[in-house]
Amino acid sequence: MKKLFPALFIAFVFSLISCGQTKTSESFTAMNTFMTLSIYSSSAKKANSVCKQIQKKINELEGIFSTTLPDSDVYYINHNKKLPDPMKPDLLEILNFSADMYKKTDGAFNPALYSVIREWGFTTENYKVPSVQRINELLFHTDYSALCNSSFAANVSVTDGMELDFGAIGKGYAADQAVKILEENGIKSALLDFGGNIQTIGRKSDGSLWRVGIKNPWTGDAACALKVEEKAVVTSGGYERFFEDADGNRYIHIFDPKTGRPSESNLESVTIICPSGKYADCLSTALFVMGKDTGIEWWKANPDINFDFIMITKDRCLIYSENIQDFIEPLYQFASIEVVTR
Ligand code: AMP
Ligand code: MG
């Protein structure tokens, strides 16, 4: 779980004028992530006000989803207390969405892994490899299906030992809420970067598509560029956060819920491209855990969920879904490039 610190807003704002539109950028730290909002508008005053509204909303969401802030709703749930306030709509939505995606991904996305992830030290940075017995004890309490059948409308109480963690979808959900605010204010062109979770609104102010870089897991440069409009582009990668033991074994922050161990996926990264940030964030984590073949099968079997993917495998292959074929530009000498069709 990425540590969710109190929103430490190191904000700076600047505006640039291009194509008759003013670009207003604002950067700050929230949800333990450096976030940048870039908004194009004919009114800098309006863009500034929208930036403030988005920051306020993200702050509010952090106060609900944080696993570490002692007065957050998730903290209350994890300590098996009654919620401090009536169920908040954002919490209700994320609980229900998580239940749906837990079932649909056959548990590859599991927001009830917090006790396991913490045991490995990912919240405290006191990293260690727990014993098999300890992992199994904790795994026993991670069956989110126990929650899926309950009605969340009024309250939520987890079974003994279960602890929730929305680290795999929180930023995507926050991006969706930011998009709502932008739309309500009539903003037609914007780019949000929530620590590498990209959300694009409309097109660039000159009418062209946004060009988003997908990180090269080995060099840190861009492995490919992708042209998009009106889409979330979210990547989950083992290289983002990990620790190594004395023998050089690498343990990453994305967990296989079946084993309670860092995923040993054959993928270096999965990028999901779709209109919704919460789907993109959830599915990038889930498909990473599933690995290449199961992930591709899952995409084929779920055409009702409108998304595309880019996979970078450990053996340096690039695999992507057919719809983005005309929009992707490889920038690295991959061992092979495969386009997957349904
Ligand atoms: P992401 O970077 O979006 O892939 O999310 C990874 C974060 O989600 C981790 O830091 C954990 O807090 C949490 N997490 C790890 N594995 C899983 C999983 N299989 N399902 C749900 N959340 C997970
Ligand atoms: Mg995710």
Side-chain angles (χ1 to χ4, degrees):
M1 167 60 195
K2 283 165 191 160
K3 285 179 298 176
L4 301 179
F5 288 129
L8 169 64
F9 284 107
I10 315 165
F12 55 88
V13 187
F14 65 90
S15 299
L16 287 172
I17 297 174
S18 78
C19 300
Q21 297 239 295
T22 304
K23 176 187 175 188
T24 299
S25 288
E26 179 137 0
S27 296
F28 51 90
T29 302
M31 294 181 156
N32 201 33
T33 298
F34 191 67
M35 302 186 168
T36 300
L37 318 172
S38 302
I39 298 176
Y40 295 81
S41 166
S42 51
S43 161
K45 195 171 161 218
K46 176 182 245 181
N48 274 318
S49 143
V50 172
C51 283
K52 294 281 161 296
Q53 291 175 52
I54 293 174
Q55 276 190 49
K56 187 164 170 265
K57 183 68 193 178
I58 290 170
N59 221 352
E60 185 191 317
L61 293 175
E62 184 169 22
I64 299 173
F65 301 144
S66 168
T67 49
T68 51
L69 289 176
D71 56 353
S72 83
D73 298 60
V74 165
Y75 191 94
Y76 268 82
I77 295 169
N78 286 351
H79 293 79
N80 221 359
K81 295 178 198 163
K82 197 176 174 302
L83 281 172
D85 308 306
M87 174 72 78
K88 291 171 183 144
D90 289 311
L91 181 58
L92 182 62
E93 189 176 338
I94 220 156
L95 283 164
N96 282 324
F97 178 71
S98 295
D100 188 36
M101 295 310 286
Y102 175 82
K103 284 185 260 181
K104 285 194 170 127
T105 62
D106 194 23
F109 167 76
N110 183 346
L113 291 178
Y114 189 55
S115 60
V116 176
I117 293 170
R118 189 183 45 209
E119 188 71 14
W120 285 79
F122 279 96
T123 47
T124 55
E125 291 185 10
N126 188 11
Y127 298 117
K128 65 168 185 290
V129 179
S131 69
V132 173
Q133 190 195 340
R134 182 69 184 136
I135 293 172
N136 288 339
E137 277 167 19
L138 294 170
L139 259 187
F140 184 72
H141 302 290
T142 61
D143 180 4
Y144 194 73
S145 60
L147 271 192
C148 294
N149 300 325
S150 53
S151 156
F152 297 124
N155 208 329
V156 53
S157 89
V158 293
T159 47
D160 257 0
M162 184 185 282
E163 292 184 60
L164 305 182
D165 162 20
F166 296 111
I169 48 169
K171 282 187 282 165
Y173 183 85
D176 285 343
Q177 301 313 305
V179 169
K180 269 191 203 163
I181 292 170
L182 290 160
E183 284 171 356
E184 281 161 15
N185 283 276
I187 302 292
K188 302 266 186 298
S189 173
L191 184 121
L192 313 178
D193 181 347
F194 290 2
N197 275 27
I198 302 293
Q199 190 95 26
T200 62
I201 291 84
R203 291 183 169 212
K204 286 166 72 176
S205 57
D206 63 4
S208 63
L209 298 175
W210 300 99
R211 194 164 180 267
V212 177
I214 311 299
K215 203 169 189 172
N216 184 322
W218 306 286
T219 65
D221 302 335
C224 43
L226 182 71
K227 286 189 176 162
V228 287
E229 66 178 311
E230 207 71 22
K231 291 269 165 61
V233 182
V234 177
T235 301
S236 286
Y239 57 83
E240 288 174 326
R241 190 123 69 92
F242 60 85
F243 71 94
E244 285 175 340
D245 65 16
D247 299 325
N249 298 309
R250 182 176 282 203
Y251 303 96
I252 65 167
H253 72 124
I254 302 170
F255 275 68
D256 184 340
K258 290 199 167 67
T259 62
R261 299 177 63 81
S263 167
E264 287 171 15
S265 171
N266 50 9
L267 299 170
E268 286 286 353
S269 74
V270 177
T271 300
I272 302 292
I273 305 103
C274 79
S276 149
K278 72 180 176 193
Y279 271 102
D281 205 355
C282 171
L283 289 176
S284 66
T285 310
L287 264 66
F288 185 97
V289 172
M290 288 178 200
K292 176 181 159 231
D293 294 336
T294 311
I296 291 174
E297 285 316 308
W298 200 91
W299 173 76
K300 288 184 180 174
N302 288 277
D304 52 315
I305 302 180
N306 171 14
F307 77 100
D308 282 286
F309 68 84
I310 301 169
M311 292 174 172
I312 298 181
T313 69
K314 283 201 169 130
D315 49 5
R316 306 200 175 214
C317 301
L318 177 70
I319 306 166
Y320 54 83
S321 52
E322 54 189 334
N323 290 340
I324 55 172
Q325 197 165 1
D326 296 337
F327 302 96
I328 188 167
E329 180 193 350
L331 300 170
Y332 177 71
Q333 200 65 39
F334 287 100
S336 70
I337 297 181
E338 187 188 337
V339 183
V340 182
T341 53
R342 271 203 170 105

